[in-house]
Amino acid sequence: MKFYNTLTRQKEEFVPQEKGVVRMYNCGPTVYSYPHIGNFRAFVFADVLRRYLEYRGLEVRQVMNITDVGHLVADADEGEDKLEAAARKEKKDPWQIAGYYAEIFHRIRKQLGFAEAMAFPRATEHIPEMIAIIEKLVARGHGYVVGNNVYFSVASFPSYGKLSGNLLDTLEAGARIEPHPDKKDPRDFALWKHDPKHLMQWDSPWGRGFPGWHIECSAMSMKYLGETLDIHTGGEDNIFPHHECEIAQSESATGKPFCRLWMHARFLLVNGEKMAKSAGNFFTVEDVFQRGVGPQALRYMLATSHYRQQMNFTWEGAESAKTSLERLAEFRRRLSDAHGAAPVAAVKPVVDKARKDFEAAMDDDLNISEALAAIYGLVREVNRLDPDPAAAAFVRDAFDRIDTVLNIGTAPPDVFSDDEKNLIDARAAARTTKNWAESDRLRKELEAKGVLVEDTPRGQRPRRARK
RNA sequence: GGCGGGUUAGCCAAGCGGCAAGGCAAGGGUUUGCAAAACCCUCAUACGCCGGUUCAAAUCCGGCACCCGCCUCCA
């Protein structure tokens, strides 16, 4: 398996530090508002990555953090905490805000079919771990205390900038932000902050205060996964300053490499532009659900665009995704109800090729487009061959195994109301007497209820129209 | 200003030196009581523009144009 490493700017063969075990940390949501579809692009990417690593037989220890304190609205040093800003606006306390939006995040990730991570640690529950690292940094001379604040000294970490390319001597910090009077160097960032107005406060060796944003990921990743991670993921905007600062403080604290492979998902655009409320192209996950793009279709769109390529979300694309999804779901359904003649021997070479192509594609930095081509090749060939029940079962096992990665091919079983069942039965009765007019009328009536009926040599096959 | 990415058929999108994957849409067939689903066929002498290297370039090199992102809260 080769993955592109932001740190080295090239694809590298992936070898976890411990044989067979992957320690992966995913930058998760800041729970201060409804998650938008761009947020979930990065999360779906992390899920597909995790699933593929498992497909390849690795044990994945996956941790995704929930940021519920410290992430400021304006800039890294001043300004209001995102949670507190939301709290003020909604007239709730920040704990309620965090709880509410964290719950929504979890609900959506389940709807989108995410594999369960090992842990979803929350920043507010790891304050002691953060304080411990900050103390270590101060003791080692990488952090300094000014009044009740603690800052990280960027100058003490010469390789600062290795991830983002924003090297120290070219970084013009303070160019757009007013330099903070307490800082020795405008590029230094806060580890611990004192602000009497802040609603979330904890005791610390430096007095009551709250942690800086970057320190949470260092503390929580090390707690759950150890001092050196195999993989760290996030959105491309995390590269700088967030991940750059994580590296600086983590490596300064431990003296060990913090993470070996950094993977970043590029932004999702809407109509070719970055999502922004002012541009009117900002969609939360709930928004797209309400506009008829269901969880599976959204997952399909997010999972089948290459993570390292900007993705352009359009409603036309969403419709296309729904159709494609339906085709896969139909294929999968048919494999459990096959009546063809092709034996296993006929179908096996097709399956073997699809599997081989799929793996080769995914091994190459998750080349999802190529992988999908392999899947559609399988679909087309198997449909053409028309397998017998044993062959269909053989294909089904292979398809399901491949789909453990993308998790897009299985359709929920169709459920029909009593009313719908009655109509279906009535139509079957009409058909026995070749009453086509009544049959067509009932088909239309069912269609209006979202039930599509197909006639096959073995009778009717009703199914729900998909969203 | 610094850094990075992009420009391939109506739309989305692989390919990154050797005759242009795949999906959606569209048109024509097979099938069907009619449909649907499925399958078959058609659908880029062509890969932003101009030069160059090469037996051979969408793929390498140089230049130009346009688009997007990061550098500042943001996945």
Side-chain angles (χ1 to χ4, degrees):
Chain A
M1 280 180 281
K2 283 190 171 164
F3 297 125
Y4 182 88
N5 191 347
T6 306
L7 193 58
T8 57
R9 288 150 208 261
Q10 59 188 9
K11 289 183 195 172
E12 295 171 352
E13 185 64 31
F14 176 67
V15 184
Q17 52 194 321
E18 179 183 339
K19 195 172 189 311
V21 180
V22 180
R23 293 171 168 81
M24 177 165 79
Y25 186 85
N26 310 123
C27 262
T30 300
V31 285
Y32 68 107
S33 70
Y34 292 97
H36 57 70
I37 54 179
N39 295 130
F40 267 86
R41 177 176 207 206
F43 305 151
V44 167
F45 152 63
D47 183 58
V48 169
L49 174 61
R50 174 251 170 92
R51 286 168 168 276
Y52 189 62
L53 293 168
E54 286 184 337
Y55 175 94
R56 277 302 202 184
L58 297 161
E59 178 199 333
V60 181
R61 296 185 189 154
Q62 181 190 17
V63 173
M64 181 178 279
N65 68 296
I66 307 284
T67 297
D68 55 1
V69 67
H71 202 160
L72 303 189
V73 170
D75 65 67
D77 310 303
E78 297 299 328
E80 205 170 3
D81 189 295
K82 285 190 165 208
L83 271 295
E84 302 211 336
R88 185 171 41 75
K89 205 165 139 199
E90 300 186 24
K91 297 186 170 45
K92 291 177 184 157
D93 74 56
W95 303 92
Q96 286 177 303
I97 294 290
Y100 177 74
Y101 289 112
E103 209 167 288
I104 287 174
F105 164 75
H106 282 116
R107 196 186 72 224
I108 293 172
R109 75 169 168 78
K110 283 173 191 160
Q111 283 179 293
L112 291 198
F114 281 30
E116 201 69 21
M118 184 179 89
F120 291 95
R122 299 171 68 135
T124 51
E125 289 166 4
H126 296 79
I127 302 294
E129 288 87 345
M130 296 187 217
I131 289 173
I133 293 177
I134 298 170
E135 286 187 300
K136 213 174 194 176
L137 287 170
V138 172
R140 285 177 161 232
H142 290 287
Y144 58 95
V145 181
V146 179
N148 294 310
N149 296 317
V150 186
Y151 295 99
F152 182 87
S153 169
V154 167
S156 75
F157 190 73
S159 61
Y160 187 83
K162 64 184 170 185
L163 182 71
S164 63
N166 292 335
L167 299 173
L168 276 184
D169 49 353
T170 61
L171 228 195
E172 278 186 59
R176 298 196 188 192
I177 308 164
E178 282 299 302
H180 193 102
D182 287 350
K183 288 186 184 176
K184 291 181 182 168
D185 184 315
R187 298 163 300 191
D188 290 350
F189 55 91
L191 296 168
W192 188 264
K193 281 177 273 193
H194 172 72
D195 179 355
K197 296 195 298 292
H198 203 276
L199 298 171
M200 297 167 118
Q201 303 244 17
W202 293 266
D203 287 321
S204 83
W206 317 283
R208 297 275 294 170
F210 62 98
W213 172 35
H214 314 302
I215 195 69
E216 65 168 270
C217 287
S218 296
M220 296 193 288
S221 63
M222 287 189 212
K223 171 171 179 177
Y224 293 95
L225 298 170
E227 293 181 337
T228 299
L229 308 172
D230 289 305
I231 304 176
H232 195 311
T233 72
E236 60 173 322
D237 55 312
N238 283 150
I239 296 171
F240 188 89
H242 187 47
H243 290 162
E244 197 71 76
C245 293
E246 276 183 48
I247 292 173
Q249 57 195 193
S250 302
E251 300 193 349
S252 294
T254 66
K256 294 177 187 166
F258 176 50
C259 176
R260 308 162 72 234
L261 171 61
W262 290 87
M263 298 176 77
H264 293 97
R266 305 208 59 176
F267 271 113
L268 172 150
L269 310 177
V270 174
N271 299 325
E273 301 269 312
K274 184 174 171 178
M275 277 204 297
K277 281 175 180 150
S278 55
N281 65 350
F282 185 94
F283 297 112
T284 67
V285 173
E286 307 282 343
D287 288 339
V288 302
F289 285 177
Q290 272 172 20
R291 288 194 44 176
V293 179
Q296 284 207 314
L298 181 59
R299 181 180 175 95
Y300 183 93
M301 279 199 288
L302 297 175
T304 61
S305 65
H306 187 84
Y307 78 96
R308 217 148 49 71
Q309 207 66 53
Q310 284 177 338
M311 173 198 170
N312 190 23
F313 178 94
T314 61
W315 294 107
E316 190 184 2
E319 286 309 309
S320 167
K322 281 157 78 170
T323 311
S324 300
L325 202 54
E326 178 62 17
R327 180 154 170 233
L328 291 177
E330 275 296 288
F331 175 71
R332 177 62 183 76
R333 219 176 322 230
R334 224 174 292 122
L335 291 176
S336 298
D337 183 31
H339 304 277
V344 172
V347 119
K348 188 168 183 306
V350 174
V351 167
D352 289 345
K353 180 176 186 333
R355 186 189 290 121
K356 193 171 127 278
D357 291 349
F358 174 78
E359 291 171 3
M362 293 299 281
D363 278 351
D364 182 18
D365 197 31
L366 307 180
N367 187 332
I368 209 72
S369 301
E370 294 275 12
L372 217 50
I375 292 174
Y376 280 109
L378 177 72
V379 170
R380 192 183 342 97
E381 279 301 300
V382 170
N383 279 338
R384 196 173 63 75
L385 288 167
D386 197 12
D388 68 25
F394 178 80
V395 174
R396 190 186 63 217
D397 289 346
F399 181 80
D400 285 351
R401 160 120 176 94
I402 286 173
D403 193 49
T404 59
V405 178
L406 296 178
N407 194 211
I408 52 177
T410 48
D414 289 328
V415 180
F416 304 107
S417 68
D418 287 343
D419 182 36
E420 287 160 352
K421 281 181 200 158
N422 287 337
L423 290 171
I424 290 165
D425 290 345
R427 184 166 181 275
R431 294 184 66 72
T432 58
T433 60
K434 293 196 192 304
N435 185 345
W436 305 131
E438 177 67 358
S439 170
D440 290 350
R441 190 189 68 72
L442 287 165
R443 183 162 60 198
K444 271 192 178 160
E445 193 175 338
L446 281 160
E447 197 179 325
K449 294 175 184 299
V451 179
L452 306 177
V453 187
E454 294 173 11
D455 296 312
T456 76
R458 269 161 236 81
Q460 299 188 107
R461 202 165 70 83
R463 64 188 166 97
R464 285 231 89 84
R466 313 280 315 266
K467 281 190 175 169

